[in-house]
Amino acid sequence: MLQKIYDYVDERLDITPMWRDIADHEVPEHVNPAHHFSAFIYCFGGLTFFVTVIQILSGMFLTMYYVPDIVNAHASVYFLQNDVAMGVIVRGMHHWGASLVIVMMFLHTLRVFFTGSYKKPRELNWVVGVLIFFVMLGLGLTGYLLPWDMKAYFATVVTLQIAESVPIIGDFTKALLAGGEIVGAATLTRFFAIHVFFLPAALLGLLGAHFIMIRRQGISGPL
């Protein structure tokens, strides 16, 4: 059945050459754990992407139940955890994955730095990677408020105070994020929009550029 579907699509779109180009792409020997024990450090990028995919899929599930307003936000999270089948597991995956993806990305960044993989001709990819790191931090920051409990509320208050202390653009940044003088309904709505629409769009664009450059330039050499 699957072969018939593949043949049907391939006959019309000629996807086999593209698929073979990906499947037949050779991986350098120094990133093969079977040949070099140190090759495991080259897995951090792939693991980061794997956790990112889990975050995207679990986040899509959560948005089917989450209500982004100050009256129903916390109640919708409570309902998700206690009344939706597997809801507590999916939310737990998303919650802990938010921290795990930062850890994995930090380890990946260290690997790139200490192996000199940021040097010519990969400087631009290093810049894109740093931008991805900041987007991930932004996702963690904006997602923290969404449960709308006391911890999330006061953590966001502190975050906005820090943003306000930035020279020149501090007041503008706080007003843009908070939507007013206090952390309220406008703040929750803006954080939800940034978390679900703006930052994921930026992340997908940056990841696409990251993977294209890796494909063009290849995996960096050993130490």
Side-chain angles (χ1 to χ4, degrees), residues 46-152:
L47 290 173
T48 302
F49 178 69
F50 176 72
V51 179
T52 300
V53 171
I54 292 177
Q55 289 299 95
I56 293 173
L57 295 178
S58 60
M60 292 169 65
F61 176 84
L62 297 179
T63 55
M64 292 192 294
Y65 296 95
Y66 182 73
V67 182
D69 67 66
I70 59 175
V71 176
N72 299 299
H74 185 71
S76 66
V77 174
Y78 182 87
F79 173 79
L80 172 69
Q81 289 206 155
N82 294 277
D83 298 310
V84 176
M86 309 294 287
V88 65
I89 296 177
V90 177
R91 197 208 165 199
M93 292 170 60
H94 198 75
H95 173 78
W96 293 109
S99 299
L100 182 60
V101 73
I102 298 299
V103 173
M104 295 309 305
M105 186 166 248
F106 181 70
L107 292 174
H108 178 55
T109 303
L110 288 179
R111 196 281 300 169
V112 172
F113 179 78
F114 285 110
T115 58
S117 302
Y118 60 90
K119 298 178 181 179
K120 184 180 179 181
R122 298 179 176 84
E123 309 98 320
L124 185 58
N125 210 7
W126 168 263
V127 173
V128 171
V130 171
L131 292 176
I132 292 175
F133 191 79
F134 283 122
V135 169
M136 286 294 190
L137 291 176
L139 285 166
L141 172 67
T142 53
Y144 200 82
L145 177 66
L146 300 186
W148 197 247
D149 52 18
M150 295 298 290
K151 182 172 66 173

Side-chain angles (χ1 to χ4, degrees), residues 160 171-191 194:
L160 293 176
D171 292 336
F172 172 78
T173 303
K174 180 185 177 183
L176 180 65
L177 293 175
E181 295 297 324
I182 62 172
V183 175
T187 313
L188 181 63
T189 302
R190 293 191 179 200
F191 272 50
I194 294 171

